[in-house]
Amino acid sequence: MTTSIESPRAARTVRRGGVNWEKWGWIYMRVSGVALVVLIFGHLFVNLMIGDGVKALDFAFVGGKLSNPFWQVWDTLMLWLALIHGANGMRTITNDYAHNRLVGVVVKGAILAATVVLIILGTLVVYTFDPCPAGAPTDLLPTFCTGG
Amino acid sequence: MWSWVFHRITGVAIFFFLLVHILDTALVRVSPEAYNAVIGTYKNPIMGLGEVALVAAIGLHALNGIRIILIDFWAWGTRHQKLLQWIVIILWIVLLVGFVPRHLINVFSE
Ligand code: HEM
């Protein structure tokens, strides 16, 4: 099962100093990938497997989770790591298929914009969230809101 | 080659799901009624099947991603990449056998 690959395998690129961003991107995909396995499967397990699964999801359920610092940190890590991992992967794919320079710049600009907006939005939601909004019907709220 | 194709397709699909999923979760900041209305749509049977597809896609991407990492950093992994490929497929089936019946019972119950 030996495969031989003619050398040179690919054109050699000569780098002139500076930070090797592609290398760090490559490392980031792997490090964040390992962390995401734990974060995402934990997330899916708690939300879809425990109790009544998807049927149990509602405002009160999320209110209970996001008023716990443990889940706040969990969700923040998952948000940042997954979005940046996904966006960087989408960048690689764009580089592979967009042969027109302008198309590539537009697509990558859109990916970057969506990623920045959603990271900011998601982080604000996690830390400014009020599980007991005033005036909301109490039967929709977590039980701790009504002193239960 | 196919694992590369699937890795790409699942990666893109999960990315788009993630964009929508952050937006729907952000509705908790709007009102309990708004959030419950949207999350309610996740509970209908068609979406239930969609969730099966989503978990299948994430499972494959995650397991294949670990395979890529093991091959990149570990000479043993590179030599036994065929074996790792089979382990990915088997673990993926185990994952789905654990998840799908449980989830479909939740979706179709009551
Ligand atoms: C569950 C844990 C995950 C693991 C272990 C994982 C692992 C990986 C690895 C190792 C790569 C290859 C990078 C390279 O070849 O340089 C990759 C690519 C990619 N990942 Fe993930 N990933 C995970 C979750 C996600 C999530 C949640 C998303 C979406 C938001 C995502 C989207 C992508 C995309 C779009 C690519 C690029 C595919 C390509 O270049 O062909 N991944 N992933």
Side-chain angles (χ1 to χ4, degrees):
Chain A
M1 258 206 14
T2 3
T3 324
S4 61
I5 301 172
E6 296 291 319
S7 63
R9 303 171 180 194
R12 237 170 79 98
T13 37
V14 180
R15 293 186 52 78
R16 291 189 201 80
V19 179
N20 188 347
W21 288 109
E22 280 309 326
K23 181 183 89 175
W24 285 106
W26 187 93
I27 293 172
Y28 176 82
M29 290 309 271
R30 281 144 185 82
V31 173
S32 63
V34 171
L36 285 170
V37 171
V38 178
L39 293 168
I40 292 179
F41 284 105
H43 176 77
L44 292 173
F45 191 80
V46 169
N47 293 351
L48 295 182
M49 291 290 281
I50 289 179
D52 291 330
V54 69
K55 282 275 162 70
L57 301 182
D58 58 11
F59 183 87
F61 178 91
V62 181
K65 271 184 89 182
L66 284 187
S67 43
N68 179 341
F70 176 84
W71 289 115
Q72 285 187 323
V73 172
W74 185 291
D75 284 4
T76 311
L77 282 173
M78 195 164 59
L79 174 74
W80 285 67
L81 290 173
L83 264 179
I84 297 172
H85 176 108
N88 190 241
M90 295 294 284
R91 184 186 64 88
T92 305
I93 297 175
T94 310
N95 286 338
D96 280 355
Y97 298 123
H99 292 300
N100 177 312
R101 225 185 109 69
L102 182 64
V103 172
V105 169
V106 170
V107 172
K108 283 187 277 185
I111 294 168
L112 179 67
T115 304
V116 170
V117 168
L118 287 177
I119 283 187
I120 294 173
L121 174 71
T123 308
L124 284 176
V125 167
V126 171
Y127 292 100
T128 67
F129 171 65
D130 177 4
C132 311
T138 47
D139 58 331
L140 299 182
L141 302 180
T143 49
F144 57 75
C145 293
T146 44
Chain B
M1 194 333 251
W2 284 109
S3 51
W4 175 78
V5 173
F6 284 125
H7 201 78
R8 278 224 146 152
I9 295 174
T10 53
V12 173
I14 303 164
F15 183 72
F16 282 109
F17 167 74
L18 181 59
L19 302 184
V20 176
H21 185 46
I22 294 170
L23 291 174
D24 68 56
T25 304
L27 289 175
V28 295
R29 201 67 193 79
V30 176
S31 75
E33 291 89 342
Y35 182 76
N36 286 354
V38 170
I39 202 73
T41 63
Y42 277 70
K43 301 173 191 178
N44 85 43
I46 295 179
M47 288 297 266
L49 296 178
E51 283 133 30
V52 169
L54 177 69
V55 171
I58 295 180
L60 193 60
H61 188 95
L63 290 166
N64 191 248
I66 295 170
R67 185 185 68 95
I68 297 174
I69 294 169
L70 290 179
I71 291 174
D72 283 341
F73 289 109
W74 193 25
W76 187 93
T78 317
R79 263 184 273 118
H80 298 267
Q81 57 95 10
K82 253 296 179 21
L83 174 67
L84 285 177
Q85 182 69 67
W86 283 111
I87 295 176
V88 165
I89 294 171
I90 291 167
L91 289 181
W92 186 64
I93 292 172
V94 170
L95 173 80
L96 290 183
V97 167
F99 174 73
V100 175
R102 174 107 186 91
H103 184 63
L104 291 183
I105 289 169
N106 284 331
V107 168
F108 288 98
S109 64
E110 107 208 32

